[in-house]
Amino acid sequence: MMTVTHNPRRNKTVPDVEVGGTSARRLSDLSITISAPEKSRHSLGLVREDSATTSFSATSKQLSKLVVEASRSSWEGRLKEKLQSTTLGQLRLSDLKLHGREDVLTLLEEKLASIGKDMKQGPIVVAGVSGVGKTALVERGLERPAQRRGMAFVGGKFDLYNNALPYSAFAEALARLAKHVASHPNAAKIKGDVLEALGEDDSNVILEAMQDCDGFFDMKGRKRHRRQSFRLNQTVGKDAVSRMQFAIRRLMKAVCSNMDGVVLFIDDLQWSDSASLDLLQSLAQDEDIPSLLMVGAFRDDEVPEHHPLALRIKELERNGTAITRIELGNLEQVAVQNLVADVLDMEDSGEKVGPLAEIVHNKTNGNAFFVIFFLRSLYDEGLLQYNFGIASWHWDKERVGEKLMTENVSSMMIIKMQRFTKLSQHVIKVAACLGASFSKQTLEAALDDNEYSYDSSSMADTFNRFEDEGLWERDENDLDTYRFAHDEIQSAAYQMVPAERRESLKGDIGAHLMEKLDPDSLNRHLFEIVSLRNCAASSLSAAERMDLADLNLQAGIKASKNAAFDSAVIYYETARELWGQNAWKEDESISRKLIDLYTKEAQARFVVGHLDIMQSLIDELLCKDLPIQQVFGAYEVKILAAQAANDFDTAINVGLEVRRRLGFKAIPTKPSLLAILWEFRKTNKAFAGRSAEELASLPKLTDEKVIMGQRMLELLGTSSFQANQDMYPHVVFRKIQTMLKHGLNRSSCDGFSGAGILLSGPFGDPKRGREMGKAAELLAQNPEMKMMKSRVLFCVQALVYHHTSSLQGTLRPLLEGYQIGLRTGDTESACWSIGFRSCYLWFASCKLKDIVPEYRAAVTALQQMNQDAIRLCVMPYYQAAKNLSGEGVELDTDRPWLLKGTECNFDEALAFAKNTAKSTMLAAYIIIVQLDLFVIYQQWDAAKELLIKEGDLRKFVPGFFQGLRFTFLEGLISLKAAQTAASWMERRKWRRRAKKAMKIMRGRISKGNCNIVHTLQLLAAELHVLNGKTKEAEESYKQAQIGAKRAGFVNDSALAHELAVLHFLETGDEYWTKHNAKLAHEAYVDWQAKVKADLLQRQYPQYIVEE
């Protein structure tokens, strides 16, 4: 071997030579490697006879001759190799300069440069037809620059022929990221942060769903206990979807927080499964993941407006996610000319390349992939040749112009592949059926040993040839994994299989894999194997169909566990079709599997919204003469579906029917007050004065029948709380009695919480109610009850503890309930936690400018999780906070007390709550906020009119702090109405109503409520004003002001001072008027109610000096 390398200091000794149509290029600028047989080296006189190797010595003439010959040989080899590696070869447009894409590349560089630890870029979507260069653009514009910056670039792609595989592209991308983490210098810290963020259970969720993600975790000692732990805390249904998404978001946050940047590229989104699109949307909307840039590519000609991907993109934009769209079209002729010159290593001047480029552009319409493939086909057919005599490319313009070029590049590739040996053709056909990527082990296992004989040597030659031809390439991170270099190549290889043979071939491949792979590999590739085997289901024997049905059931269960319900329904439906109706007549084991299948498919159909099919499956199952224990799961799905549709009456009726079939005593839907009190007395007696600790330590419930009955009571409790308040106490007390008699299970958490709500609210024993809440919290600490913790926190913190402790003290636990609910997948409880926290932020007098951003985040989160009912409950507080703080740019400056703006309009919201949502609770929320604003702005006539119109709202918010706030507002408005009443009868009516409200508040305070003491004192002050007791009024004002300030209710402190201003103006006390006006203004400023503070200053300029 001889190497001649350019030395810049001696370049004058070698003459300039023009090569390959390039500009004058010195041979001394070339690095030329010559490999020749020993005989050839001797004939050149470069090697002595007596030595195998010697130092280079040659005459000038020999050197000149050698350089010319070497240049020809080297350039021919280089050009041939370049053609192969950049066209039908590896087909990597990113290896060439991306002509015509300069502006887009600059944009991508800017996006990459703006990634920082404290900001997350909006996603980028690259759209264009096949072959336009989407992947090449991302690789050139992001992958290489990211690697230069020390960032991680990870990607995955979906597959046209395997789009039933859940999360395939994300699993591929996360596996690459896991390998990056495992080799990262800071790997130990990243793994520690991941474990802290996820915990053991959610780590297992990801490991179950995403293969090859071990690199995120310290796996030592995990495998021994992971399965058991996962079963204890596994979620099902819609909760599983939420849990999966939140787990992956926390994983990405933990990883990205420790890196300079992560680029996540998902290719071919047009073939993605629904679960992946949900995950994509969840990641894109999460603004808490730092240093993450998400990029997606898809074929826009395959994504019409109604395509799921298009709908997701529109929804993201509607929710405020900034998406950068890049739409790639075909290349202009100038860009094609530059690309042709680049491929042929020629100058891009029009005289040399222009004629060929014009033909190429006309034949390919400027599609970059077609351009390169067309050039390669010209070269293969001898229409494009390199003439070393004149050192230039030449072509026959007429013959080139006559060559046909269709948009179906696959047909041209098929012609080329058909020149391979039969074995090679079979290998690439099987590979195409396996997918866009595959392992060598899996491909070899998929081959038919009987039809084709092969050994390791022949397979190695075949793999190497395809790699050399550029048909597929090895994964840089896993050399045992191969992937097709382009989708068009995979498509061409698949089309080589006769249409009538394709399904049977895929079925045969599945059979070979089942036969040859070990159990671990079978489980790993379960989805692929079952999907392949299903293709030939019609040709199977009866026994084989039964076995395949069982495999489909297993695949459906696995997909459901991984929260991929769209994929799950495909497997479930196939299993049902394979078993058929006659299978019910088979042995008992088949019947049990069918029951499991129908139940799980119904649940999956419910999650994905196929409600009609869900209902038919349940009806078909329930019409069988089966024991209630076997069809219990189907009834459960039916109730959950009814609750989701707000059909609580149906849910109640089904729940009662199930309990009847289980043999339990009936529960009345319309119990009398006497019946409720009787159940309360029985329950109170059963408690026998036991403490929370004693209650939480009761034995475990093991009777399966009783467990089912308790679950029905849990569902009945949810339904009756929403639609039948009279029935709810009966359900709770029956549940408590059963717990005390038979023991505890997860439904017991709900039982203790419900008892706490009833005792603290309607039954007026908040001390005992607190004990029930404490028992629920203690029980939720049990590892087996972990899934109930968010629900417990929401119930006891929002509806129990505020009766006996400060309202401000509930805010942090409610936030914790939200976070735990997202972590465990209990989305509903998580959303109720954040919903009540949002409401209590207002009543607890938190600074408005601090809570407006939290309201915005809460509303966005609730919208993303499709919790519209809870979101609508938060909107009135959000709008009120914006208007008071001055954040609401749409504020009506003439009437700032109106609940009106972009987030909530009082009249429209109330009409929706009453007429559309039919939610008295939502209507009460809206009215109470408007009453609060009327009081803050002293709009007593408007407040009185609304109070008269809407009546008593307490029954619609039982146990809520909103009910106590309404009682205070009702009392204050009534006293103001009495003070201005035109007649003594009207005055008496309003005074009586105010005293009733005060009596309710006094009763609550006597039972330990510390949050309304100052408001009762304020009502006492106004009552003294009404009765003409000046001294008593002034003392009560003072006590209300001190109490509000001490308890942290700045808003009520401001209100107490402002009402005192009105009193002292009436009595003519200038000093105390000024004093209270100043303190009222200061309190409103402290609350950050800028609009109200400014208005107060304009009302009393003589008392409030502008600072």
Side-chain angles (χ1 to χ4, degrees):
M1 177 178 290
M2 183 189 71
T3 303
V4 180
T5 307
H6 163 58
N7 183 340
R9 297 183 179 179
R10 301 179 60 185
N11 58 12
K12 293 183 179 181
T13 63
V14 184
D16 292 340
V17 179
E18 183 174 319
V19 181
T22 63
S23 59
R25 186 181 305 206
R26 304 179 190 277
L27 290 179
S28 58
D29 291 337
L30 303 176
S31 176
I32 305 174
T33 300
I34 302 176
S35 298
E38 197 69 20
K39 182 177 179 181
S40 300
R41 298 174 68 190
H42 283 292
S43 66
L44 290 173
L46 298 180
V47 179
R48 293 199 302 267
E49 296 288 340
D50 59 346
S51 176
T53 58
T54 185
S55 61
F56 172 71
S57 62
T59 64
S60 176
K61 184 176 181 180
Q62 289 174 320
L63 178 59
S64 178
K65 180 181 178 181
L66 169 65
V67 169
V68 172
E69 292 179 353
S71 67
R72 290 178 178 174
S73 174
S74 176
W75 272 101
E76 184 176 18
R78 265 186 68 197
L79 292 170
K80 186 173 182 180
E81 180 183 351
K82 185 175 181 67
L83 281 167
Q84 290 176 337
S85 65
T86 58
T87 58
L88 180 60
Q90 297 176 7
L91 288 173
R92 292 179 64 85
L93 285 172
S94 57
D95 289 335
L96 302 169
K97 181 178 179 182
L98 300 187
H99 301 282
R101 311 295 192 202
E102 292 78 9
D103 292 344
V104 180
L105 288 170
T106 300
L107 172 64
L108 293 180
E109 285 274 11
E110 291 173 353
K111 289 286 183 181
L112 196 66
S114 62
I115 292 179
K117 286 190 177 294
D118 297 327
M119 64 181 297
K120 177 193 170 188
Q121 293 293 318
I124 299 173
V125 291
V126 184
V129 299
S130 175
V132 80
K134 303 180 293 294
T135 306
L137 175 71
V138 174
E139 290 178 351
R140 173 61 65 87
L142 290 174
E143 180 176 12
R144 297 176 189 179
Q147 291 170 349
R148 288 196 299 268
R149 294 172 180 268
M151 299 177 179
F153 181 96
V154 295
K157 74 187 297 296
F158 289 103
D159 188 350
L160 171 62
Y161 302 112
N162 284 314
N163 54 8
L165 305 183
Y167 304 115
S168 57
F170 277 104
E172 182 182 353
L174 287 179
R176 294 174 185 272
L177 184 58
K179 289 183 178 180
H180 186 89
V181 168
S183 61
H184 196 276
N186 207 18
K189 182 179 183 304
I190 297 176
K191 291 180 180 182
D193 289 351
V194 167
L195 183 59
E196 182 180 354
L198 296 178
E200 286 286 341
D201 289 338
D202 283 356
S203 298
N204 290 330
V205 168
I206 291 177
L207 287 169
E208 290 280 339
M210 307 289 174
Q211 297 176 355
D212 300 323
C213 284
D214 292 3
F216 291 125
F217 309 99
D218 184 358
M219 299 302 293
K220 293 179 181 179
R222 287 183 59 87
K223 294 183 179 179
R224 186 170 60 254
H225 62 269
R226 60 182 279 196
R227 296 290 178 184
Q228 179 182 3
S229 174
F230 184 64
R231 281 197 300 270
L232 286 176
N233 298 296
Q234 187 178 344
T235 50
V236 296
K238 293 183 177 181
D239 288 346
V241 177
S242 301
R243 183 178 188 180
M244 171 66 72
Q245 292 175 1
F246 191 57
I248 292 179
R249 281 159 44 199
R250 280 179 290 135
L251 168 70
M252 294 301 297
K253 182 177 180 180
V255 172
C256 293
S257 298
N258 287 280
M259 292 190 174
D260 294 328
V262 174
V263 180
L264 177 64
F265 175 44
I266 305 297
D267 202 0
D268 287 322
L269 282 167
Q270 73 276 0
W271 299 324
S272 60
D273 59 288
S274 180
S276 294
L277 289 178
D278 290 339
L279 178 57
L280 174 71
Q281 183 174 351
S282 179
L283 283 169
Q285 292 178 147
D286 193 332
E287 298 180 353
D288 293 332
I289 305 176
S291 308
L292 174 65
L293 177 61
M294 294 180 60
V295 185
F298 64 93
R299 299 181 180 182
D300 54 2
D301 58 329
E302 297 182 25
V303 180
E305 289 186 1
H306 60 274
H307 191 282
L309 174 61
L311 297 177
R312 291 301 202 292
I313 292 175
K314 288 180 181 178
E315 188 173 352
L316 281 171
E317 292 177 327
R318 190 165 55 247
N319 292 341
T321 302
I323 298 178
T324 301
R325 290 173 173 261
I326 298 175
E327 297 180 359
L328 294 185
N330 287 333
L331 300 175
E332 300 291 339
Q333 185 169 329
V334 174
V336 171
Q337 179 175 306
N338 294 334
L339 177 56
V340 171
D342 192 10
V343 171
L344 300 181
D345 232 356
M346 297 176 66
E347 288 183 347
D348 58 1
S349 63
E351 295 180 1
K352 294 184 177 181
V353 182
L356 177 61
E358 182 179 1
I359 296 174
V360 172
H361 184 266
N362 291 336
K363 294 289 184 180
T364 63
N365 290 323
N367 184 286
F369 176 74
F370 290 3
V371 168
I372 292 177
F373 188 82
F374 185 64
L375 288 173
R376 175 57 198 252
S377 65
L378 294 178
Y379 181 80
D380 287 343
E381 297 174 24
L383 301 179
L384 177 62
Q385 297 180 338
Y386 188 78
N387 190 321
F388 285 92
I390 61 174
S392 179
W393 287 97
H394 72 93
W395 52 87
D396 187 324
K397 183 176 180 181
E398 292 184 1
R399 291 181 63 194
V400 170
E402 293 172 356
K403 180 173 173 59
L404 296 176
M405 177 65 185
T406 67
E407 291 186 1
N408 186 7
V409 179
S410 295
S411 61
M412 302 177 69
M413 292 183 181
I414 290 172
I415 294 173
K416 179 177 180 63
M417 292 180 192
Q418 286 174 341
R419 300 180 188 138
F420 299 158
T421 65
K422 293 294 184 181
L423 173 62
S424 296
Q425 290 184 48
H426 181 64
V427 169
I428 202 165
K429 290 174 187 177
V430 171
C433 293
L434 288 176
S437 63
F438 46 86
S439 70
K440 185 176 181 181
Q441 176 195 9
T442 303
L443 178 53
E444 290 178 345
L447 297 174
D448 188 346
D449 297 339
N450 298 322
E451 187 175 353
Y452 297 94
S453 59
Y454 59 89
D455 53 27
S456 58
S457 176
S458 61
M459 285 302 298
D461 291 341
T462 301
F463 273 69
N464 291 334
R465 179 178 183 183
F466 290 158
E467 194 173 354
D468 292 340
E469 289 279 351
L471 298 177
W472 63 43
E473 57 195 18
R474 286 192 177 191
D475 189 320
E476 296 176 357
N477 299 311
D478 184 359
L479 297 180
D480 189 51
T481 299
Y482 293 79
R483 65 179 63 252
F484 282 100
H486 197 276
D487 296 324
E488 295 290 350
I489 298 174
Q490 182 190 3
S491 177
Y494 184 73
Q495 290 178 44
M496 287 175 64
V497 184
E500 67 277 5
R501 175 80 176 94
R502 289 171 188 166
E503 298 302 297
S504 61
L505 174 60
K506 288 193 280 189
D508 292 342
I509 292 171
H512 297 323
L513 292 174
M514 289 175 60
E515 179 184 349
K516 297 178 185 178
L517 293 182
D518 58 76
D520 286 342
S521 297
L522 278 174
N523 182 63
R524 176 184 176 86
H525 297 289
L526 180 63
F527 296 130
E528 295 96 321
I529 293 171
V530 173
S531 297
L532 288 166
R533 197 74 177 119
N534 285 342
C535 294
S538 59
S539 63
L540 299 179
S541 66
E544 289 174 327
R545 288 171 66 86
M546 295 298 100
D547 291 340
L548 183 56
D550 195 22
L551 279 176
N552 274 277
L553 176 57
Q554 293 177 37
I557 292 172
K558 183 176 180 180
S560 294
K561 286 181 179 179
N562 296 342
F565 291 98
D566 279 279
S567 299
V569 297
I570 296 173
Y571 296 118
Y572 289 139
E573 183 175 10
T574 305
R576 188 159 40 88
E577 292 172 351
L578 287 168
W579 264 316
Q581 288 296 324
N582 292 332
W584 287 102
K585 302 175 183 178
E586 300 289 336
D587 58 44
E588 186 179 347
S589 62
I590 296 295
S591 296
R592 283 199 299 268
K593 289 179 180 179
L594 284 168
I595 294 169
D596 195 27
L597 168 63
Y598 273 66
T599 302
K600 286 183 165 55
E601 184 180 353
Q603 185 182 73
R605 296 284 185 182
F606 165 56
V607 174
V608 299
H610 300 167
L611 301 184
D612 290 340
I613 301 177
M614 176 210 74
Q615 191 62 52
S616 66
L617 289 169
I618 292 175
D619 291 344
E620 184 177 347
L621 184 59
L622 296 182
C623 73
K624 309 286 184 185
D625 187 17
L626 297 169
I628 181 62
Q629 288 85 349
Q630 293 185 12
V631 295
F632 179 83
Y635 277 118
E636 190 175 16
V637 175
K638 188 171 184 176
I639 293 172
L640 292 172
Q643 289 178 343
N646 291 327
D647 187 1
F648 296 109
D649 290 339
T650 297
I652 289 172
N653 292 333
V654 174
L656 292 174
E657 170 64 15
V658 174
R659 281 186 55 85
R660 184 193 66 76
R661 290 192 61 184
L662 286 168
F664 292 106
K665 184 179 177 181
I667 296 176
T669 55
K670 295 181 179 180
S672 65
L673 178 60
L674 184 62
I676 294 174
L677 292 175
W678 176 251
E679 288 296 325
F680 171 63
R681 180 177 177 278
K682 285 167 57 179
T683 304
N684 221 15
K685 184 178 180 181
F687 275 134
R690 279 178 277 201
S691 66
E693 290 77 8
E694 291 172 324
L695 291 171
S697 61
L698 289 170
K700 182 178 178 180
L701 175 60
T702 57
D703 188 320
E704 193 67 28
K705 177 183 169 183
V706 178
I707 290 174
M708 292 181 178
Q710 290 292 79
R711 172 59 176 160
M712 281 299 110
L713 286 175
E714 182 182 340
L715 295 172
L716 282 169
T718 301
S719 300
S720 60
F721 188 84
Q722 295 281 348
N724 191 338
Q725 288 286 330
D726 293 335
M727 181 183 178
Y728 180 70
H730 218 103
V731 171
V732 172
F733 293 142
R734 188 69 60 84
K735 190 187 304 181
I736 292 290
Q737 292 166 23
T738 306
M739 287 160 44
L740 295 174
K741 182 178 180 180
H742 295 280
L744 306 177
N745 71 330
R746 56 169 285 166
S747 296
S748 304
C749 294
D750 218 40
F752 285 135
S753 299
I757 294 170
L758 289 174
L759 290 170
S760 298
F763 288 85
D765 190 358
K767 183 178 179 181
R768 190 64 181 159
R770 188 176 183 85
E771 279 294 299
M772 295 298 102
K774 186 178 178 182
E777 288 189 319
L778 289 172
L779 189 58
Q781 299 299 323
N782 189 316
E784 295 185 22
M785 311 290 184
K786 188 182 295 186
M787 308 308 298
M788 297 295 293
K789 190 170 183 179
S790 176
R791 186 176 179 89
V792 167
L793 282 173
F794 143 60
C795 290
V796 301
Q797 296 293 338
L799 305 175
V800 178
Y801 286 171
H802 72 81
H803 291 282
T804 54
S805 58
S806 74
L807 185 66
Q808 290 85 347
T810 66
L811 298 177
R812 185 178 293 276
L814 284 172
L815 179 60
E816 183 184 355
Y818 169 70
Q819 295 167 338
I820 292 173
L822 292 180
R823 189 186 294 256
T824 59
D826 186 0
T827 307
E828 184 179 21
S829 297
C831 291
W832 276 117
S833 293
I834 202 64
F836 269 98
R837 173 181 162 86
S838 299
C839 301
Y840 289 177
L841 286 170
W842 168 267
F843 295 124
S845 191
C846 296
K847 295 184 183 300
L848 294 176
K849 288 190 177 181
D850 292 339
I851 64 176
V852 165
E854 182 168 339
Y855 281 146
R856 187 180 303 117
V859 166
T860 301
L862 293 168
Q863 187 173 26
Q864 291 171 1
M865 289 182 279
N866 297 317
Q867 294 287 339
D868 286 339
I870 304 174
R871 179 180 62 84
L872 291 172
C873 290
V874 175
M875 298 302 279
Y877 301 95
Y878 183 17
Q879 188 65 61
K882 284 180 67 177
N883 288 358
L884 269 172
S885 65
E887 296 285 331
V889 293
E890 68 287 342
L891 178 69
D892 186 341
T893 53
D894 294 330
R895 296 177 299 173
W897 48 84
L898 293 182
L899 185 63
K900 182 179 180 182
T902 56
E903 313 304 335
C904 181
N905 184 299
F906 176 75
D907 293 330
E908 294 175 2
L910 188 59
F912 176 83
K914 289 182 175 181
N915 303 325
T916 305
K918 299 187 184 305
S919 172
T920 54
M921 184 181 76
L922 174 58
Y925 273 45
I926 298 167
I927 296 165
I928 291 169
V929 174
Q930 182 61 84
L931 288 174
D932 225 341
L933 287 174
F934 282 151
V935 168
I936 289 170
Y937 284 99
Q938 312 282 300
Q939 298 298 308
W940 304 111
D941 289 340
K944 180 177 74 173
E945 182 181 344
L946 182 60
L947 188 63
I948 294 171
K949 180 180 179 182
E950 300 299 339
D952 186 359
L953 302 178
R954 275 180 291 270
K955 59 184 176 181
F956 303 129
V957 282
F960 301 2
F961 186 82
Q962 285 88 333
L964 293 175
R965 187 66 181 180
F966 170 77
T967 303
F968 161 64
L969 295 173
E970 178 190 31
L972 184 58
I973 295 166
S974 298
L975 287 169
K976 285 296 182 182
Q979 291 171 11
T980 58
S983 66
W984 69 270
M985 291 185 63
E986 183 181 2
R987 185 180 303 113
R988 186 177 67 174
K989 180 187 72 173
W990 284 111
R991 181 189 300 161
R992 187 175 296 168
R993 187 167 182 176
K995 284 188 172 183
K996 180 182 176 182
M998 293 176 70
K999 182 179 180 181
I1000 294 173
M1001 295 176 68
R1002 241 182 244 107
R1004 292 296 177 184
I1005 292 171
S1006 68
K1007 297 291 180 64
N1009 194 310
C1010 59
N1011 296 300
I1012 57 174
V1013 174
H1014 63 280
T1015 54
L1016 179 62
Q1017 291 168 335
L1018 188 54
L1019 292 182
E1022 291 296 323
L1023 181 61
H1024 289 316
V1025 170
L1026 177 64
N1027 295 331
K1029 298 180 178 180
T1030 302
K1031 186 176 180 181
E1032 290 84 350
E1034 292 171 359
E1035 180 61 27
S1036 293
Y1037 279 130
K1038 182 179 178 181
Q1039 293 300 321
Q1041 294 160 3
I1042 294 173
K1045 186 174 181 180
R1046 184 177 296 161
F1049 292 93
V1050 183
N1051 56 340
D1052 290 337
S1053 173
L1055 178 63
H1057 282 293
E1058 187 175 6
L1059 291 176
V1061 169
L1062 298 176
H1063 167 72
F1064 285 114
L1065 277 174
E1066 187 69 24
T1067 60
D1069 193 325
E1070 188 78 8
Y1071 174 81
W1072 287 110
T1073 300
K1074 180 178 181 180
H1075 174 77
N1076 279 281
K1078 179 182 177 183
L1079 292 180
H1081 182 264
E1082 288 177 355
Y1084 281 125
V1085 169
D1086 188 25
W1087 190 29
Q1088 297 180 340
K1090 182 179 184 302
V1091 174
K1092 172 62 181 178
D1094 292 346
L1095 178 63
L1096 194 66
Q1097 190 172 39
R1098 292 194 298 272
Q1099 286 179 324
Y1100 303 112
Q1102 69 274 32
Y1103 302 128
I1104 304 171
V1105 180
E1106 184 176 1
E1107 295 181 1

